[in-house]
Amino acid sequence: MRNRAMGQVDQERTVSAVVNGTPREFTVPARRLLSDALRHDLGLTGTHVGCEHGVCGACTVLLDGVPVRSCLVLAVQVQGAAVTTVEGLARSDHQGGEVLHPVQEAFRECHALQCGFCTPGFLMTIAAGLEARDPAQPVTDDEVEDMVGGNLCRCTGYANIKKAVHHAAATIREATR
Amino acid sequence: MKPAPFGYADPRTLAEALEVLGREGEGAKVLAGGQSLLPLLSMRLAAPTTLVDINRVAGLDSIESGPDGVRVGALVRHARLLDDAAAAGVQPLLARATASVAHPAIRNRGTTVGSIAHADPSGEMTAVLALTGGSVTVATPAGRSAVGWQDFFVGPLETSVHGPAVVVDAFFPALAQRSGTAFAELSRRRGDYAVCGAGAVVTLDADRRVSAARTAYISVGLVPQVHDLTEAVAGRPVDTVDWAAAGALARTLVDPDTDLHASADYRRLLVGVLTERTLAAAALEATGRTP
Ligand SMILES: Cc1cc2nc3c(=O)[nH]c(=O)nc-3n(C[C@H](O)[C@H](O)[C@H](O)COP(=O)(O)OP(=O)(O)OC[C@H]3O[C@@H](n4cnc5c(N)ncnc54)[C@H](O)[C@@H]3O)c2cc1C
Ligand code: FES
Ligand code: FES
């Protein structure tokens, strides 16, 4: 990686990235998708893989803070970047435990998951979507539609997921008042 | 599925990128946002031997908005163009159409220039490049040249650019005086590729009569095309125009295909409806821009 020749073509690379706040290093073939590197090389199996071609959103993670499909990013491309997976969403309570993110709390409260396969992708997309907006303004149905429209769920029918977005937005609004 | 094995390079300069593309030959492909290329690799519909990742190439990430138009660099993501107020001021179609490109997570990574280079006739920005009369700048080892949209799009997923080349930017001319634009599409879910979509530009004369009405469609036909519908509405005062007449004319000009999602007849019907709607909305905007 370091001192590589100009324009060198590699079949394999060693990548360093900050994953969920911790510096990690892993060696992968060039074709390794970020989703597979997270699951198989780093053991972070919270990121789920549904379609592997960008349609379902189950594999969504944050790359330098913004949501992306991890099946549509090569692992070698995250050299030097920060990646956050669903495992990194909860915050430490500084007593050895964790506090769920308001979106995770809202999913539990609103019964927004059934089998849970799609859930990590929804959580990451919605958490980033709520983060990117002014928390003082109530979230509109249109914004909610935009936040969840790119993720597929075969169980819930989406109604409770949308309810959870409103619930989480309200919690965040309360907390920032 | 997983992509077949390939070699990977991430050059830091354009010269270096062109050098690697030249050296690796036929099997090398440019990787930009990867939002179209990586699905093709994972579905094994493409198996390049080398990916030349341009994400770390310096100097490709600017949006330059001036009186003549908007120049969008190869590394500008859809999400950034969508939020660029200066670009929207010069050419409002950019933000309007980009809002319909995919979902937020895909817009964070996919590039505007990449979707033009991909030349998918379902891609909003291919129609916008055509409708605005735009062009791309192509860099090859021999130098840079501007290629107009008509010479660029050759067929579905096919452009006139071959061999070692990087599209370094796309240029969208500014919206003319007394003109307005609109974009609308029908898709099965928000953010999905459109079953049919339309962009429109309407220009008025100083007396607020229609002097030009043009449209371009997505998911209709093999390459983007601009349709001049002026004859159906020319010279009418903007508040009494029968936009349905333009919609009827548009239906006779297009040649859509049948696929899993819609029949050719249904698409032709949508062309009529979307033409009427977008022209009316564009005319309203043009009125606001006519003193
Ligand atoms: C689920 C899903 C839904 C989508 N929905 C839409 C939609 O509704 N509308 C839409 O328009 N798009 C949609 N997209 C595609 C998305 O917009 C892509 O970002 C875009 O088509 C390609 O841009 P990219 O930067 O990702 O290019 P890449 O995927 O990196 O490249 C695509 C092709 O263009 C070539 N290429 C890219 N950049 C250059 C360059 N600078 N010079 C030379 N060649 C280049 C590559 O070699 C490759 O052949 C969707 C994608 C997904 C996965
Ligand atoms: S697994 Fe990545 S979008 Fe479906
Ligand atoms: S909860 Fe089962 S797919 Fe969404």
Side-chain angles (χ1 to χ4, degrees):
Chain A
M1 284 305 309
R2 292 161 273 272
N3 302 322
R4 50 181 259 302
M6 295 278 278
Q8 183 177 315
V9 178
D10 297 312
Q11 300 297 324
E12 186 181 276
R13 279 200 182 176
T14 298
V15 178
S16 352
V18 175
V19 181
N20 296 332
T22 309
R24 303 288 297 259
E25 203 169 76
F26 47 96
T27 300
V28 288
R31 68 163 173 162
R32 179 85 88 239
L33 303 172
L34 177 59
S35 43
D36 284 339
L38 291 169
R39 291 176 57 84
H40 303 306
D41 296 287
L42 299 180
L44 294 168
T45 52
T47 299
H48 290 175
V49 173
C51 66
E52 220 158 46
H53 59 259
V55 173
C56 74
C59 67
T60 306
V61 301
L62 307 187
L63 182 56
D64 289 331
V66 298
V68 301
R69 312 287 214 221
S70 62
C71 73
L72 297 188
V73 176
L74 298 174
V76 291
Q77 294 186 287
V78 304
Q79 168 60 34
V83 179
T84 309
T85 67
V86 71
E87 287 93 341
L89 206 51
R91 293 276 157 265
S92 157
D93 66 359
H94 303 294
Q95 290 160 28
E98 285 187 323
V99 191
L100 290 184
H101 187 281
V103 179
Q104 291 173 306
E105 223 21 284
F107 264 58
R108 181 157 75 185
E109 192 65 33
C110 301
H111 196 65
L113 66 151
Q114 288 176 30
C115 78
F117 190 85
C118 67
T119 311
F122 273 101
L123 292 173
M124 300 316 286
T125 313
I126 295 164
L130 291 177
E131 179 81 22
R133 61 185 300 284
D134 174 6
Q137 301 302 318
V139 67
T140 64
D141 286 344
D142 196 55
E143 281 178 274
V144 174
E145 197 71 42
D146 213 30
M147 266 182 245
V148 305
N151 294 56
L152 291 177
C153 174
R154 298 289 79 181
C155 301
T156 63
Y158 304 99
N160 286 352
I161 295 178
K162 293 181 185 179
K163 227 181 268 172
V165 182
H166 284 286
H167 193 286
T171 310
I172 293 169
R173 187 163 66 245
E174 279 303 313
T176 51
R177 240 205 255 275
Chain B
M1 283 200 296
K2 321 290 180 194
F6 51 77
Y8 173 84
D10 56 347
R12 306 298 143 103
T13 66
L14 185 60
E16 205 187 328
L18 290 169
E19 198 265 317
V20 189
L21 284 166
R23 177 156 36 89
E24 298 292 313
E26 279 288 283
K29 263 219 163 283
V30 171
L31 172 65
Q35 305 301 288
S36 293
L37 185 55
L38 293 182
L40 289 179
L41 299 197
S42 285
M43 291 187 274
R44 300 280 176 117
L45 295 171
T49 53
T50 310
L51 288 191
V52 181
D53 183 354
I54 59 171
N55 282 282
R56 294 181 198 263
V57 171
L60 296 182
D61 62 352
S62 63
I63 304 179
E64 292 162 23
S65 304
D68 295 342
V70 181
R71 194 170 292 282
V72 180
L75 289 179
V76 174
R77 318 282 165 184
H78 299 300
R80 200 171 130 217
L81 184 60
L82 181 59
D83 282 348
D84 194 298
V90 173
Q91 180 45 268
L93 254 186
L94 291 176
R96 260 177 208 151
T98 302
S100 296
V101 174
H103 314 285
I106 287 163
R107 293 201 294 262
N108 284 336
R109 191 107 188 122
T111 66
T112 302
V113 169
S115 74
I116 289 168
H118 190 54
D120 184 340
S122 303
E124 284 78 2
M125 302 322 281
T126 61
V128 171
L129 190 76
L131 189 54
T132 57
S135 59
V136 296
T137 306
V138 179
T140 67
R144 290 178 181 229
S145 54
V147 181
W149 71 272
Q150 277 152 313
D151 298 323
F152 186 68
F153 298 117
V154 172
L157 310 193
E158 199 188 343
T159 71
S160 60
V161 173
H162 297 285
V166 174
V167 180
V168 291
D169 60 48
F171 180 71
F172 302 89
L175 181 62
Q177 277 194 325
R178 297 194 302 266
S179 301
T181 70
F183 195 92
E185 68 178 45
L186 187 103
S187 59
R188 289 161 52 96
R189 262 191 328 164
R190 161 134 15 166
D192 279 6
Y193 280 107
V195 172
C196 178
V201 179
V202 170
T203 303
L204 306 178
D205 64 18
D207 300 325
R208 297 192 172 196
R209 289 169 190 274
V210 178
S211 66
R214 285 174 296 124
T215 53
Y217 305 97
I218 56 171
S219 304
V220 174
L222 304 179
V223 287
Q225 247 185 310
V226 176
H227 296 282
D228 190 341
L229 306 174
T230 311
E231 65 178 82
V233 287
R236 306 285 160 71
V238 68
D239 33 16
T240 65
V241 185
D242 176 18
W243 296 112
L249 174 60
R251 281 205 302 272
T252 66
L253 299 176
V254 295
D255 184 19
D257 279 329
T258 294
D259 64 18
L260 198 61
H261 302 300
S263 66
D265 283 344
Y266 179 52
R267 284 210 164 85
R268 189 171 291 111
L269 182 96
L270 288 176
V271 163
V273 171
L274 294 173
T275 299
E276 194 178 328
R277 269 186 213 163
T278 52
L279 285 176
L284 195 65
E285 186 181 68
T287 313
R289 290 165 52 102
T290 304

